């Protein structure tokens, strides 16, 4: 006699996976803040290069944001839609 059904195990592991993905999203948010911080520092030290620094910062922010969006979608799918339960 098992205390945990396979469905409950899959739902629990999916919730755990979604939580781990959300921790990754927090890390990406911290990284984006550091990108902005360093860009402001660079512009304050060398104002004539502000155009190049801003362009590079925006590209870096866009790349970081796309990985955040993908991770958020994965977390939503794991916790709400959960296609793994239908495979049991």
């Amino acid at each position: 006699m098992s205390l945990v059904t396979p469905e409950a195990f899959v739902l629990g592991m999916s919730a755990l996976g979604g939580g781990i993905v959300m921790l990754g999203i927090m890390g990406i948010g911290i990284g984006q803040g550091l990108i902005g911080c360093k860009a402001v520092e660079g512009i304050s030290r060398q104002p004539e290069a502000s155009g190049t620094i801003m362009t590079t910062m925006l590209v870096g922010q866009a790349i970081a944001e796309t990985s955040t969006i993908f991770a958020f979608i994965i977390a939503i799918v794991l916790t709400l839609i959960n296609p793994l339960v239908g495979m049991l």
Side-chain angles (χ1 to χ4, degrees):
M1 182 170 152
S2 176
L3 295 176
V4 178
T5 64
E7 290 86 8
F9 181 75
V10 168
L11 288 174
M13 289 297 113
S14 295
L16 184 65
I20 291 170
V21 169
M22 294 306 281
L23 287 175
I25 290 174
M26 287 181 6
I28 294 170
I30 292 169
Q32 285 183 332
L34 288 174
I35 290 172
C37 172
K38 296 300 180 179
V40 168
E41 284 180 8
I43 291 172
S44 66
R45 290 182 183 176
Q46 198 171 11
E48 63 273 359
S50 65
T52 306
I53 293 171
M54 285 294 290
T55 303
T56 307
M57 182 199 69
L58 289 176
V59 169
Q61 291 280 5
I63 291 170
E65 189 66 29
T66 55
S67 60
T68 305
I69 291 170
F70 290 143
F72 184 68
I73 290 171
I74 289 170
I76 293 296
V77 166
L78 282 176
T79 55
L80 298 179
I81 299 169
N82 205 351
L84 302 173
V85 173
M87 298 174 73
L88 295 175

